PDB file of all heavy atoms in Angstrom:
ATOM      1  N   THR N 439       4.612  35.749  20.237  1.00 98.00           N
ATOM      2  CA  THR N 439       4.692  37.005  20.997  1.00 98.00           C
ATOM      3  C   THR N 439       6.015  37.732  20.747  1.00 98.00           C
ATOM      4  O   THR N 439       6.010  38.913  20.359  1.00 98.00           O
ATOM      5  CB  THR N 439       4.460  36.745  22.497  1.00 98.00           C
ATOM      6  OG1 THR N 439       3.172  36.144  22.637  1.00 98.00           O
ATOM      7  CG2 THR N 439       4.519  38.020  23.311  1.00 98.00           C
ATOM      8  N   VAL N 462      13.264  41.793  30.460  1.00 99.00           N
ATOM      9  CA  VAL N 462      12.989  41.406  31.851  1.00 99.00           C
ATOM     10  C   VAL N 462      12.030  40.217  31.799  1.00 99.00           C
ATOM     11  O   VAL N 462      10.901  40.347  31.340  1.00 99.00           O
ATOM     12  CB  VAL N 462      12.397  42.566  32.676  1.00 99.00           C
ATOM     13  CG1 VAL N 462      12.379  42.191  34.163  1.00 99.00           C
ATOM     14  CG2 VAL N 462      13.189  43.849  32.469  1.00 99.00           C
ATOM     15  N   GLY N 463      12.501  39.068  32.254  1.00 98.00           N
ATOM     16  CA  GLY N 463      11.745  37.817  32.155  1.00 98.00           C
ATOM     17  C   GLY N 463      12.525  36.823  31.312  1.00 98.00           C
ATOM     18  O   GLY N 463      13.102  37.205  30.286  1.00 98.00           O
ATOM     19  N   ARG N 464      12.575  35.581  31.756  1.00 98.00           N
ATOM     20  CA  ARG N 464      13.368  34.570  31.035  1.00 98.00           C
ATOM     21  C   ARG N 464      12.552  33.306  30.774  1.00 98.00           C
ATOM     22  O   ARG N 464      13.085  32.187  30.808  1.00 98.00           O
ATOM     23  CB  ARG N 464      14.635  34.227  31.815  1.00 98.00           C
ATOM     24  CG  ARG N 464      14.357  33.739  33.225  1.00 98.00           C
ATOM     25  CD  ARG N 464      15.622  33.274  33.935  1.00 98.00           C
ATOM     26  NE  ARG N 464      15.405  33.171  35.372  1.00 98.00           N
ATOM     27  CZ  ARG N 464      16.325  32.767  36.220  1.00 98.00           C
ATOM     28  NH1 ARG N 464      17.517  32.434  35.786  1.00 98.00           N
ATOM     29  NH2 ARG N 464      16.045  32.707  37.518  1.00 98.00           N
ATOM     30  N   SER N 465      11.254  33.466  30.521  1.00 97.00           N
ATOM     31  CA  SER N 465      10.445  32.270  30.244  1.00 97.00           C
ATOM     32  C   SER N 465      10.793  31.735  28.859  1.00 97.00           C
ATOM     33  O   SER N 465      11.332  32.455  28.006  1.00 97.00           O
ATOM     34  CB  SER N 465       8.955  32.608  30.299  1.00 97.00           C
ATOM     35  OG  SER N 465       8.591  33.392  29.190  1.00 97.00           O
ATOM     36  N   ILE N 467       8.679  30.923  26.668  1.00 94.00           N
ATOM     37  CA  ILE N 467       7.740  31.341  25.619  1.00 94.00           C
ATOM     38  C   ILE N 467       7.886  32.821  25.246  1.00 94.00           C
ATOM     39  O   ILE N 467       7.488  33.216  24.173  1.00 94.00           O
ATOM     40  CB  ILE N 467       6.270  30.992  25.978  1.00 94.00           C
ATOM     41  CG1 ILE N 467       5.788  31.750  27.203  1.00 94.00           C
ATOM     42  CG2 ILE N 467       6.093  29.510  26.191  1.00 94.00           C
ATOM     43  CD1 ILE N 467       4.291  31.600  27.402  1.00 94.00           C
ATOM     44  N   VAL N 468       8.440  33.630  26.148  1.00 97.00           N
ATOM     45  CA  VAL N 468       8.607  35.053  25.812  1.00 97.00           C
ATOM     46  C   VAL N 468      10.070  35.505  25.983  1.00 97.00           C
ATOM     47  O   VAL N 468      10.745  35.857  25.015  1.00 97.00           O
ATOM     48  CB  VAL N 468       7.684  35.985  26.631  1.00 97.00           C
ATOM     49  CG1 VAL N 468       7.741  37.407  26.051  1.00 97.00           C
ATOM     50  CG2 VAL N 468       6.237  35.519  26.662  1.00 97.00           C
ATOM     51  N   HIS N 487      15.916  38.899  35.472  1.00 98.00           N
ATOM     52  CA  HIS N 487      14.930  37.978  36.051  1.00 98.00           C
ATOM     53  C   HIS N 487      14.811  38.251  37.542  1.00 98.00           C
ATOM     54  O   HIS N 487      15.337  39.268  38.044  1.00 98.00           O
ATOM     55  CB  HIS N 487      15.324  36.526  35.753  1.00 98.00           C
ATOM     56  CG  HIS N 487      16.774  36.255  35.991  1.00 98.00           C
ATOM     57  ND1 HIS N 487      17.287  36.076  37.240  1.00 98.00           N
ATOM     58  CD2 HIS N 487      17.812  36.204  35.123  1.00 98.00           C
ATOM     59  CE1 HIS N 487      18.589  35.888  37.148  1.00 98.00           C
ATOM     60  NE2 HIS N 487      18.936  35.975  35.868  1.00 98.00           N
ATOM     61  N   SER N 488      14.166  37.338  38.269  1.00 98.00           N
ATOM     62  CA  SER N 488      13.860  37.635  39.677  1.00 98.00           C
ATOM     63  C   SER N 488      15.105  37.692  40.564  1.00 98.00           C
ATOM     64  O   SER N 488      15.054  38.225  41.663  1.00 98.00           O
ATOM     65  CB  SER N 488      12.871  36.608  40.239  1.00 98.00           C
ATOM     66  OG  SER N 488      13.475  35.340  40.287  1.00 98.00           O
ATOM     67  N   LEU N 493      17.691  45.798  39.602  1.00 98.00           N
ATOM     68  CA  LEU N 493      16.959  45.783  38.328  1.00 98.00           C
ATOM     69  C   LEU N 493      16.722  47.189  37.761  1.00 98.00           C
ATOM     70  O   LEU N 493      16.886  47.393  36.550  1.00 98.00           O
ATOM     71  CB  LEU N 493      15.630  45.026  38.517  1.00 98.00           C
ATOM     72  CG  LEU N 493      14.779  44.834  37.274  1.00 98.00           C
ATOM     73  CD1 LEU N 493      15.518  44.052  36.192  1.00 98.00           C
ATOM     74  CD2 LEU N 493      13.480  44.128  37.629  1.00 98.00           C
ATOM     75  N   ALA N 506       8.484  41.325  30.335  1.00 98.00           N
ATOM     76  CA  ALA N 506       7.656  40.106  30.230  1.00 98.00           C
ATOM     77  C   ALA N 506       7.731  39.387  31.565  1.00 98.00           C
ATOM     78  O   ALA N 506       8.409  38.373  31.717  1.00 98.00           O
ATOM     79  CB  ALA N 506       8.159  39.224  29.103  1.00 98.00           C
ATOM     80  N   VAL N 507       7.045  39.948  32.538  1.00 98.00           N
ATOM     81  CA  VAL N 507       7.202  39.515  33.924  1.00 98.00           C
ATOM     82  C   VAL N 507       5.897  38.960  34.498  1.00 98.00           C
ATOM     83  O   VAL N 507       5.873  37.906  35.139  1.00 98.00           O
ATOM     84  CB  VAL N 507       7.682  40.710  34.797  1.00 98.00           C
ATOM     85  CG1 VAL N 507       7.920  40.262  36.236  1.00 98.00           C
ATOM     86  CG2 VAL N 507       8.941  41.331  34.233  1.00 98.00           C
ATOM     87  N   GLY N 508       4.806  39.706  34.293  1.00 97.00           N
ATOM     88  CA  GLY N 508       3.531  39.310  34.917  1.00 97.00           C
ATOM     89  C   GLY N 508       3.339  39.960  36.272  1.00 97.00           C
ATOM     90  O   GLY N 508       2.703  39.390  37.160  1.00 97.00           O
ATOM     91  N   ARG N 509       3.916  41.173  36.449  1.00 98.00           N
ATOM     92  CA  ARG N 509       3.729  41.948  37.692  1.00 98.00           C
ATOM     93  C   ARG N 509       3.234  43.343  37.328  1.00 98.00           C
ATOM     94  O   ARG N 509       3.979  44.124  36.718  1.00 98.00           O
ATOM     95  CB  ARG N 509       5.026  42.053  38.476  1.00 98.00           C
ATOM     96  CG  ARG N 509       5.420  40.729  39.081  1.00 98.00           C
ATOM     97  CD  ARG N 509       6.663  40.835  39.907  1.00 98.00           C
ATOM     98  NE  ARG N 509       6.969  39.521  40.427  1.00 98.00           N
ATOM     99  CZ  ARG N 509       6.669  39.111  41.651  1.00 98.00           C
ATOM    100  NH1 ARG N 509       6.102  39.936  42.503  1.00 98.00           N
ATOM    101  NH2 ARG N 509       6.959  37.891  42.041  1.00 98.00           N
ATOM    102  N   MET N 512       5.171  47.072  37.459  1.00 98.00           N
ATOM    103  CA  MET N 512       6.442  46.903  38.186  1.00 98.00           C
ATOM    104  C   MET N 512       7.516  47.886  37.704  1.00 98.00           C
ATOM    105  O   MET N 512       8.284  48.432  38.494  1.00 98.00           O
ATOM    106  CB  MET N 512       6.956  45.472  38.027  1.00 98.00           C
ATOM    107  CG  MET N 512       8.204  45.202  38.835  1.00 98.00           C
ATOM    108  SD  MET N 512       8.880  43.560  38.570  1.00 98.00           S
ATOM    109  CE  MET N 512       9.899  43.857  37.151  1.00 98.00           C
ATOM    110  N   VAL N 527       4.995  43.454  27.441  1.00 98.00           N
ATOM    111  CA  VAL N 527       4.340  42.181  27.100  1.00 98.00           C
ATOM    112  C   VAL N 527       3.321  41.785  28.178  1.00 98.00           C
ATOM    113  O   VAL N 527       2.379  41.052  27.915  1.00 98.00           O
ATOM    114  CB  VAL N 527       5.402  41.061  26.926  1.00 98.00           C
ATOM    115  CG1 VAL N 527       4.747  39.745  26.538  1.00 98.00           C
ATOM    116  CG2 VAL N 527       6.442  41.451  25.884  1.00 98.00           C
ATOM    117  N   GLY N 528       3.507  42.302  29.373  1.00 97.00           N
ATOM    118  CA  GLY N 528       2.693  41.881  30.520  1.00 97.00           C
ATOM    119  C   GLY N 528       1.196  42.039  30.297  1.00 97.00           C
ATOM    120  O   GLY N 528       0.742  43.037  29.715  1.00 97.00           O
ATOM    121  N   ILE N 529       0.447  41.040  30.727  1.00 95.00           N
ATOM    122  CA  ILE N 529      -1.020  41.136  30.721  1.00 95.00           C
ATOM    123  C   ILE N 529      -1.466  40.759  32.126  1.00 95.00           C
ATOM    124  O   ILE N 529      -1.382  39.590  32.520  1.00 95.00           O
ATOM    125  CB  ILE N 529      -1.662  40.193  29.686  1.00 95.00           C
ATOM    126  CG1 ILE N 529      -1.219  40.581  28.272  1.00 95.00           C
ATOM    127  CG2 ILE N 529      -3.190  40.226  29.800  1.00 95.00           C
ATOM    128  CD1 ILE N 529      -1.839  39.738  27.171  1.00 95.00           C
ATOM    129  N   ASN N 530      -1.882  41.746  32.877  1.00 96.00           N
ATOM    130  CA  ASN N 530      -2.297  41.503  34.267  1.00 96.00           C
ATOM    131  C   ASN N 530      -3.746  41.946  34.422  1.00 96.00           C
ATOM    132  O   ASN N 530      -4.105  43.057  34.034  1.00 96.00           O
ATOM    133  CB  ASN N 530      -1.402  42.302  35.220  1.00 96.00           C
ATOM    134  CG  ASN N 530       0.074  42.013  35.003  1.00 96.00           C
ATOM    135  OD1 ASN N 530       0.553  40.932  35.311  1.00 96.00           O
ATOM    136  ND2 ASN N 530       0.805  42.973  34.432  1.00 96.00           N
ATOM    137  N   VAL N 564       1.072  44.493  22.398  1.00 97.00           N
ATOM    138  CA  VAL N 564       1.663  43.204  22.021  1.00 97.00           C
ATOM    139  C   VAL N 564       0.609  42.100  21.844  1.00 97.00           C
ATOM    140  O   VAL N 564       0.725  41.265  20.938  1.00 97.00           O
ATOM    141  CB  VAL N 564       2.694  42.782  23.102  1.00 97.00           C
ATOM    142  CG1 VAL N 564       3.252  41.407  22.816  1.00 97.00           C
ATOM    143  CG2 VAL N 564       3.808  43.813  23.200  1.00 97.00           C
ATOM    144  N   GLY N 565      -0.412  42.089  22.682  1.00 95.00           N
ATOM    145  CA  GLY N 565      -1.402  41.005  22.650  1.00 95.00           C
ATOM    146  C   GLY N 565      -2.034  40.836  21.274  1.00 95.00           C
ATOM    147  O   GLY N 565      -2.186  39.707  20.784  1.00 95.00           O
ATOM    148  N   THR N 568       0.266  39.083  18.875  1.00 96.00           N
ATOM    149  CA  THR N 568       0.476  37.652  19.097  1.00 96.00           C
ATOM    150  C   THR N 568      -0.478  36.846  18.214  1.00 96.00           C
ATOM    151  O   THR N 568      -0.070  35.897  17.537  1.00 96.00           O
ATOM    152  CB  THR N 568       0.262  37.316  20.589  1.00 96.00           C
ATOM    153  OG1 THR N 568       1.247  38.032  21.341  1.00 96.00           O
ATOM    154  CG2 THR N 568       0.415  35.841  20.867  1.00 96.00           C
TER     155      THR N 568
HETATM  156  P1  LIG S 678       6.518  33.564  33.455  1.00 78.12           P
HETATM  157  O1  LIG S 678       5.816  33.614  34.771  1.00 78.12           O
HETATM  158  O2  LIG S 678       6.776  32.256  32.802  1.00 78.12           O
HETATM  159  O3  LIG S 678       7.916  34.318  33.589  1.00 78.12           O
HETATM  160  C1  LIG S 678       8.025  35.513  34.288  1.00 78.12           C
HETATM  161  C2  LIG S 678       9.464  35.950  34.328  1.00 78.12           C
HETATM  162  O4  LIG S 678       9.522  37.156  35.073  1.00 78.12           O
HETATM  163  C3  LIG S 678      10.397  34.950  35.002  1.00 78.12           C
HETATM  164  O5  LIG S 678      11.569  34.794  34.246  1.00 78.12           O
HETATM  165  C4  LIG S 678      10.685  35.586  36.349  1.00 78.12           C
HETATM  166  O6  LIG S 678      11.986  35.364  36.844  1.00 78.12           O
HETATM  167  C5  LIG S 678      10.551  37.059  36.032  1.00 78.12           C
HETATM  168  N1  LIG S 678      10.226  37.799  37.249  1.00 78.12           N
HETATM  169  C6  LIG S 678       9.239  37.545  38.130  1.00 78.12           C
HETATM  170  N2  LIG S 678       9.253  38.447  39.124  1.00 78.12           N
HETATM  171  C7  LIG S 678      10.280  39.279  38.870  1.00 78.12           C
HETATM  172  C8  LIG S 678      10.818  40.406  39.538  1.00 78.12           C
HETATM  173  N3  LIG S 678      10.304  40.857  40.672  1.00 78.12           N
HETATM  174  N4  LIG S 678      11.880  41.007  38.977  1.00 78.12           N
HETATM  175  C9  LIG S 678      12.423  40.567  37.830  1.00 78.12           C
HETATM  176  N5  LIG S 678      11.949  39.515  37.155  1.00 78.12           N
HETATM  177  C10 LIG S 678      10.890  38.879  37.665  1.00 78.12           C
HETATM  178  O7  LIG S 678       5.674  34.527  32.506  1.00 78.12           O
HETATM  179  P2  LIG S 678       5.545  34.603  30.896  1.00 78.12           P
HETATM  180  O8  LIG S 678       6.861  34.865  30.281  1.00 78.12           O
HETATM  181  O9  LIG S 678       4.719  33.477  30.404  1.00 78.12           O
HETATM  182  O10 LIG S 678       4.626  35.896  30.766  1.00 78.12           O
HETATM  183  C11 LIG S 678       5.050  37.159  31.242  1.00 78.12           C
HETATM  184  C12 LIG S 678       3.925  38.149  31.113  1.00 78.12           C
HETATM  185  O11 LIG S 678       3.598  38.281  29.729  1.00 78.12           O
HETATM  186  C13 LIG S 678       2.615  37.741  31.776  1.00 78.12           C
HETATM  187  O12 LIG S 678       1.960  38.902  32.239  1.00 78.12           O
HETATM  188  C14 LIG S 678       1.803  37.114  30.667  1.00 78.12           C
HETATM  189  O13 LIG S 678       0.409  37.201  30.886  1.00 78.12           O
HETATM  190  C15 LIG S 678       2.220  37.987  29.521  1.00 78.12           C
HETATM  191  N6  LIG S 678       2.088  37.355  28.209  1.00 78.12           N
HETATM  192  C16 LIG S 678       1.548  38.125  27.237  1.00 78.12           C
HETATM  193  C17 LIG S 678       1.418  37.634  25.979  1.00 78.12           C
HETATM  194  C18 LIG S 678       0.852  38.526  24.932  1.00 78.12           C
HETATM  195  O14 LIG S 678       0.399  38.052  23.917  1.00 78.12           O
HETATM  196  N7  LIG S 678       0.888  39.842  25.136  1.00 78.12           N
HETATM  197  C19 LIG S 678       1.805  36.268  25.624  1.00 78.12           C
HETATM  198  C20 LIG S 678       2.461  35.568  26.708  1.00 78.12           C
HETATM  199  C21 LIG S 678       2.581  36.116  27.950  1.00 78.12           C
HETATM  200  P3  LIG S 678      12.517  33.907  37.306  1.00 78.12           P
HETATM  201  O15 LIG S 678      12.762  33.148  36.048  1.00 78.12           O
HETATM  202  O16 LIG S 678      13.758  34.216  38.065  1.00 78.12           O
HETATM  203  O17 LIG S 678      11.427  33.322  38.150  1.00 78.12           O
END
Side-chain angles (χ1 to χ4, degrees):
T439 301
V462 191
R464 57 174 164 179
S465 71
I467 64 170
V468 190
H487 45 78
S488 66
L493 184 60
V507 183
R509 290 183 181 261
M512 184 184 87
V527 181
I529 297 182
N530 305 290
V564 175
T568 298

